Amino acid sequence: EAGVAQSPRYKIIEKRQSVAFWCNPISGHATLYWYQQILGQGPKLLIQFQNNGVVDDSQLPKDRFSAERLKGVDSTLKIQPAKLEDSAVYLCASSFFLSGGQYNEQFFGPGTRLTVL
Amino acid sequence: AQSVTQPDIHITVSEGASLELRCNYSYGATPYLFWYVQSPGQGLQLLLKYFSGDTLVQGIKGFEAEFKRSQSSFNLRKPSVHWSDAAEYFCAVGATDTGRRALTFGSGTRLQVQP
């Protein structure tokens, strides 16, 4: 079974530039997450999708970050304009959806390492 | 809101020695609890999880963890560490009273294994 795919793996940009990250979840996984992992910290949720709808984007800096999952499969996360503090690894994860308040395992992609100069 | 504390930033053990990584959480009820491992350049891999029932849970690669409600802890253990266990380990909690399924992670413990 193919895992969660992310691209690019590495990106270096200057501050105030724009950047986009792409994620392809595991086939059949309705739930998709974007996490930000700053060096020395654990991952922090940016946004959670259920199919193509947003479940939680309370921690997404909406003045500069945006994300979409138009067809309920692939997702794109964009930063415009980037700041120095956006340097981090951006992780995409996916899981099956279980109703009734149940959790299911989240599978993580390898991440995109962003460096903002 | 829930939170996770991993008090040890960095731990070094000798190969073959036992290991215990500490995790404390803050949450108003019994949360869902997880341990993930992250190797350099790799995504996070689930080691084990606790939802309910037996407080001692077994995971992959010979790891186990024990949930202690009275101490709000979920420490990870392994009786004999292998060099390949060198990685970063994250404890995470999931809320049980909301529709959110995202995890709240601790800041991680980096494990170094000496030959």
Side-chain angles (χ1 to χ4, degrees):
Chain A
E1 175 182 273
V4 177
Q6 290 188 247
S7 68
R9 293 294 309 277
Y10 305 91
K11 190 73 177 179
I12 300 174
I13 62 173
E14 307 233 335
K15 61 183 179 184
R16 291 188 290 275
Q17 285 186 324
S18 302
V19 65
F21 312 128
W22 173 82
C23 172
N24 187 300
I26 292 172
S27 177
H29 282 191
T31 308
L32 185 146
Y33 311 79
W34 283 102
Y35 290 86
Q36 179 193 56
Q37 186 178 16
I38 293 172
L39 186 65
Q41 300 180 20
K44 184 187 78 172
L45 178 74
L46 291 175
I47 189 167
Q48 175 189 345
F49 290 96
Q50 184 65 33
N51 296 309
N52 60 352
V54 175
V55 173
D56 184 354
D57 63 356
S58 58
Q59 300 185 83
L60 186 74
K62 299 181 186 64
D63 57 333
R64 297 183 301 105
F65 286 65
S66 64
E68 59 184 15
R69 193 183 184 201
L70 294 177
K71 296 183 179 179
V73 181
D74 294 7
S75 177
T76 302
L77 177 69
K78 297 179 181 177
I79 308 175
Q80 180 178 15
K83 293 185 175 181
L84 297 177
E85 59 261 36
D86 299 330
S87 293
V89 175
Y90 291 84
L91 295 165
C92 179
S94 69
S95 68
F96 283 114
F97 173 72
L98 292 177
S99 61
Q102 296 299 306
Y103 267 84
N104 207 347
E105 178 180 351
Q106 294 182 28
F107 293 83
F108 285 80
T112 296
R113 181 176 298 277
L114 173 67
T115 302
V116 182
L117 303 175
Chain B
Q2 63 267 32
S3 66
V4 179
T5 301
Q6 293 181 248
D8 304 305
I9 297 173
H10 186 214
I11 284 183
T12 301
V13 299
S14 298
E15 190 168 16
S18 64
L19 172 70
E20 181 169 28
L21 303 183
R22 296 184 291 166
C23 171
N24 293 97
Y25 68 88
S26 174
Y27 186 61
T30 299
Y32 297 126
L33 295 161
F34 306 81
W35 274 99
Y36 280 85
V37 61
Q38 186 177 39
S39 299
Q42 303 295 315
L44 292 153
Q45 181 184 22
L46 181 66
L47 286 176
L48 47 77
K49 60 183 181 284
Y50 172 79
F51 287 175
S52 64
D54 192 346
T55 56
L56 184 64
V57 294
Q58 303 296 323
I60 62 171
K61 305 185 180 185
F63 286 93
E64 67 178 26
E66 185 172 12
F67 168 58
K68 292 186 177 180
R69 186 191 310 272
S70 61
Q71 298 177 21
S72 298
S73 69
F74 189 56
N75 294 348
L76 181 71
R77 301 195 294 248
K78 187 170 185 179
S80 178
V81 170
H82 187 263
W83 64 266
S84 61
D85 293 325
E88 186 132 26
Y89 291 80
F90 293 93
C91 181
V93 301
T96 58
D97 59 352
T98 74
R100 296 179 63 243
R101 289 296 174 265
L103 301 176
T104 299
F105 287 85
S107 55
T109 297
R110 181 167 299 278
L111 173 65
Q112 186 173 357
V113 180
Q114 288 182 333

